[in-house]
Amino acid sequence: MNHFLFGACYYPEHWDRSWIQADAALMAQAHVNVVRMAEFAWTLMEPARDAFDFGLFKEAVASLKAQGIDSILCTPTATPPRWLTAEHPEWMRVDINDVPFTHGTRQHCCTNNPGFRAESRRITRAMAEAFKADAAVIGWQTDNELYCHVEECYCESCQVGFREWLALRYDQSIEKLNHAWGTLFWSQQYDDFDQVVIPKKWRQPAPCNPSALLDFRRFLSDSVTAFQREQVEILREVNPDWWITHNGVFYNIDYYKFAEDLDFLAVDVYPAFWGTKPEDFIGGSQLNERCRQATGTYIVPEQCGGPGGQIDFLQPTPEPGRMRLWAYQSIAHGADGMLHFRWRTCRYGAEIHWHGILDHDNVPRRRFEEFAQEGAELKKIGADILGTTKRVEVGISHSYEQDHAQGVLSFSRPQPDAQRELLLGTLMRQKVAVGYVNEADSYAGLKLLIVPSAIVMDAERAEKIEAFVSQGGVLLVTATSGQRDVNNHAIEQTPPGLLSRVLGITVEEFGKTEHRRMQLQGAGLEMDANYYEIIQCTDAEPLAHWHFEQNPQTEAAEGCVGLSCNEFGAGKAYYLGTFLNEASAMELMQRLCDVADVQPLGRSDTNVCIIERYAADRRLTFVLNNYPEPKEVTALACGQNILTDQSCDGTLQIEPFGVAVIRS
């Protein structure tokens, strides 16, 4: 990026062509410097096979550039035209009940179908060739929100693709697959890969093979990554100067791997999905973190421009100031571009009430004024933001592999994703520099690493965790970690297996309660729980023990260790034999931050967020007030509020839904 991106999603195909120049002029008044276009316009650009007509978008790109506005184009493969789907009904996705999808929505064609892939490559190349010499087109988005609506498909192409993927994964050896899936259980052995069918978790007389389900999820991620890669290769071949992204993030895609083909990832953020109470900020924060952990730098191609709504729902209307606040929330987490959805609310279709910057009548009102304020501010401070990265001193380990391994055998226990969100919210409320860190990434620079329920463990990962602690890091690992291998098989060693050395423990037993009150007590902690693990300390020090209020003599865990700490090299490794809740998380996180010498970035009310981005020559402290009333913030880094050009002596008053950016 050579400047901070600010703009909106634009759909000239929904309006008369005569509106384009007026739209461009009004966008320029709001300091827009980029728009995103064409992700759903395949039919318009190719009304009949090979009858390409890119005239509307060429006109739009030119008119926008005349006002100083660049364009991001999208491959339109989420919405193939009817003439194409009518020719090939076999290209449709098939649901778990073996019912094919029909035309009239989006993402209805299977991205694993060879014929549809060929058509996707064809339209991608045609678009790329049409715009390859246009300097106003600065980048591309592949498709649109892959796996947003549906992830699984059970069509014949997926059956074939899954078998081919398995054969490649297991070196053409059905014996290796049988071993990896443990097919001796329930006499599931296969004689060759052609016998394998996609497992259907909810459509069987008894539970499916969990290792098969895990491999199917891996296949879903790898296959959609391959679908995208075909488009990326064409775009890079036609014009290597374009940058390329994709707008996530959804489930069943390992974005850390998916984004290796991209220049950076992107994420669509609609915080109203989680609500508009002050405490609901965590929904948007965790979504931004899921994107940032994959590529570091990212942009937001869609941020709310008004209340979102489709056929069966309408979100709360954001109060004045909310749109700007939510935009800065993403920027604080690391976004280097901010586009709002959409420029103008469409007058027809499934999103007739998914509101944009302008309403149906095209009259600029308060949302436009707020949008323009945001544009003016980002034009002013964008150069300060670019080149900075989010400070993370407390890392929360993120892994889709862990999510999938737990998800196929959840036992109704808190999943890693839910634990991450709880911990992220808790630590953000304590105003420390916290963020998600992919488990494949470096731990350099972290003071505290939290590993929530890393049930799958291998030697490489265990050694990296050991190195982090031995070099002085503080580690917290939570229940169920280290219990399985990469095939999702229970290991033969006593848990936590490969983590036993760094943690200095073994886990002798686990269980759950439903009607009896159970507490973990000791070291000044007292936390309620309904799941326990009995810890045997081999080298670690016991910190807290299990206690049952009623009939404790009948409980196996009574008096046993549930929280431990092991000094390992220059660091400390804690193990918690249960799952945290809001009350217990706040207390334990504060204690661990003290041990790791993690200092808050400032002080204020619970749901005022303080987030830092930094570079070698500057710190940017973002202060975000999620309350509808003013708040005082203290203990900030001294400097200048670059939004207002006022100096900050470490204390400031921030208005309702207000934002401050302190440069120091």
Side-chain angles (χ1 to χ4, degrees), residues 520-584:
L520 189 57
Q521 299 177 345
L525 295 171
E526 188 172 288
M527 60 180 72
D528 290 332
N530 62 9
Y531 175 91
Y532 67 83
E533 291 182 346
I534 296 175
I535 296 172
Q536 181 68 39
C537 292
T538 53
D539 295 308
E541 174 189 358
L543 295 183
H545 299 77
W546 292 115
H547 173 65
F548 293 78
E549 283 194 347
Q550 296 179 327
N551 303 318
Q553 68 279 1
T554 66
E555 301 293 345
E558 175 64 27
C560 294
V561 180
L563 175 66
S564 61
C565 175
N566 187 40
E567 294 191 5
F568 187 84
K572 294 184 176 182
Y574 292 80
Y575 186 80
L576 177 66
T578 190
F579 307 105
L580 292 163
N581 54 38
E582 286 191 22
S584 59

Side-chain angles (χ1 to χ4, degrees), residues 20-48:
I20 294 175
Q21 290 190 2
D23 281 340
L26 190 58
M27 288 180 189
Q29 291 180 34
H31 309 282
V32 167
N33 59 37
V34 70
V35 300
R36 190 197 71 177
M37 293 189 290
E39 73 268 34
F40 301 131
W42 190 342
T43 296
L44 186 67
M45 294 185 291
E46 190 184 15

Side-chain angles (χ1 to χ4, degrees), residues 214 218 251 253-257 289-290 293 396-407 415-417 420 436-441 443 450-458 461:
L214 179 57
R218 290 165 172 159
Y251 291 93
I253 298 178
D254 185 339
Y255 285 101
Y256 193 83
K257 296 178 181 178
E289 284 298 310
R290 284 170 56 199
Q293 62 83 30
I396 302 172
S397 183
H398 187 285
S399 167
Y400 283 97
E401 184 80 357
Q402 303 294 352
D403 291 352
H404 293 163
Q406 288 267 19
Q415 297 299 286
D417 195 53
R420 284 193 292 266
Y436 290 172
V437 177
N438 193 281
E439 71 173 9
D441 233 328
Y443 298 150
I450 304 170
V451 180
S453 297
I455 200 164
V456 171
M457 190 56 54
D458 59 34
R461 172 130 161 80

Side-chain angles (χ1 to χ4, degrees), residues 54-370:
F54 299 106
L56 173 65
F57 290 99
K58 283 183 172 290
E59 179 182 341
V61 168
S63 296
L64 290 160
K65 190 60 178 178
Q67 295 287 347
I69 300 169
D70 292 323
S71 294
I72 303 166
L73 296 181
C74 308
T75 61
T77 45
T79 54
R82 182 57 178 146
W83 59 260
L84 184 60
T85 60
E87 290 176 3
H88 297 283
E90 72 278 10
W91 292 0
M92 294 295 185
R93 292 180 185 268
V94 174
D95 71 13
I96 198 168
N97 298 309
D98 295 323
V99 177
F101 288 8
T102 58
H103 193 90
T105 177
R106 67 183 191 183
Q107 296 186 349
H108 41 287
C109 280
C110 179
T111 55
N112 287 323
N113 184 281
F116 180 65
R117 281 198 175 185
E119 293 296 316
S120 297
R121 293 191 299 269
R122 190 178 60 83
I123 186 63
T124 298
R125 183 170 294 278
M127 283 188 72
E129 292 289 347
F131 290 94
K132 67 180 180 181
D134 196 328
V137 176
I138 59 172
W140 286 75
Q141 173 189 296
T142 60
D143 202 269
N144 185 78
E145 296 184 339
L146 288 164
Y147 287 173
C148 169
H149 301 287
V150 61
E151 302 155 354
E152 299 89 352
C153 177
Y154 302 90
C155 73
E156 185 58 31
S157 295
C158 286
Q159 296 283 359
V160 171
F162 186 45
R163 291 165 185 154
E164 292 174 348
W165 182 91
L166 291 170
L168 185 64
R169 179 176 178 84
Y170 295 109
D171 302 324
Q172 309 298 322
S173 170
I174 197 66
E175 290 79 13
K176 288 184 178 180
L177 178 141
N178 282 321
H179 172 75
W181 286 11
T183 55
L184 285 173
F185 187 79
W186 286 351
S187 190
Q188 296 175 0
Q189 295 98 317
Y190 298 97
D191 298 316
D192 59 61
F193 288 98
D194 287 341
Q195 292 180 347
V196 179
V197 295
I198 294 174
K200 294 183 177 180
K201 186 173 183 180
W202 305 118
R203 299 292 297 171
Q204 305 290 346
C208 280
N209 184 314
S211 298
L213 284 168
L214 179 57
D215 266 353
F216 181 49
R217 292 192 176 187
R218 290 165 172 159
F219 162 75
L220 290 170
S221 179
D222 286 353
S223 63
V224 79
T225 300
F227 169 76
Q228 174 187 249
R229 183 176 300 126
E230 294 177 353
Q231 298 184 8
V232 170
E233 289 174 347
I234 292 169
L235 295 170
R236 295 208 189 282
E237 174 193 337
V238 173
N239 188 339
D241 292 334
W242 285 328
W243 53 253
I244 305 171
T245 189
H246 176 78
N247 57 336
V249 294
F250 302 94
Y251 291 93
N252 280 349
I253 298 178
D254 185 339
Y255 285 101
Y256 193 83
K257 296 178 181 178
F258 178 89
E260 288 177 355
D261 294 323
L262 303 171
D263 292 284
F264 48 82
L265 191 58
V267 59
D268 293 344
V269 186
Y270 294 95
F273 273 121
W274 293 274
T276 57
K277 296 178 182 177
E279 62 268 25
D280 295 332
F281 76 85
I282 190 57
S285 286
Q286 62 85 23
L287 195 63
N288 279 283
E289 284 298 310
R290 284 170 56 199
C291 183
R292 189 193 58 78
Q293 62 83 30
T295 56
T297 297
Y298 69 99
I299 67 170
V300 178
E302 296 182 24
Q303 176 76 253
C304 82
Q310 292 183 343
I311 291 173
D312 56 350
F313 71 90
L314 181 64
Q315 294 173 348
T317 298
E319 304 96 321
R322 280 274 193 189
M323 178 176 71
R324 172 175 172 265
L325 171 67
W326 285 338
Y328 277 103
Q329 178 188 37
S330 293
I331 296 166
H333 279 281
D336 282 343
M338 176 59 54
L339 284 77
H340 286 273
F341 186 88
R342 50 190 287 160
W343 173 244
R344 182 170 43 247
T345 314
C346 194
R347 293 175 181 165
Y348 48 81
E351 294 182 349
I352 194 171
H353 285 305
W354 203 293
H355 293 77
I357 302 302
L358 301 175
D359 291 312
H360 299 108
D361 59 7
N362 203 39
V363 177
R365 295 189 177 90
R366 71 168 179 88
R367 293 201 303 277
F368 175 82
E369 296 302 323
E370 191 172 326

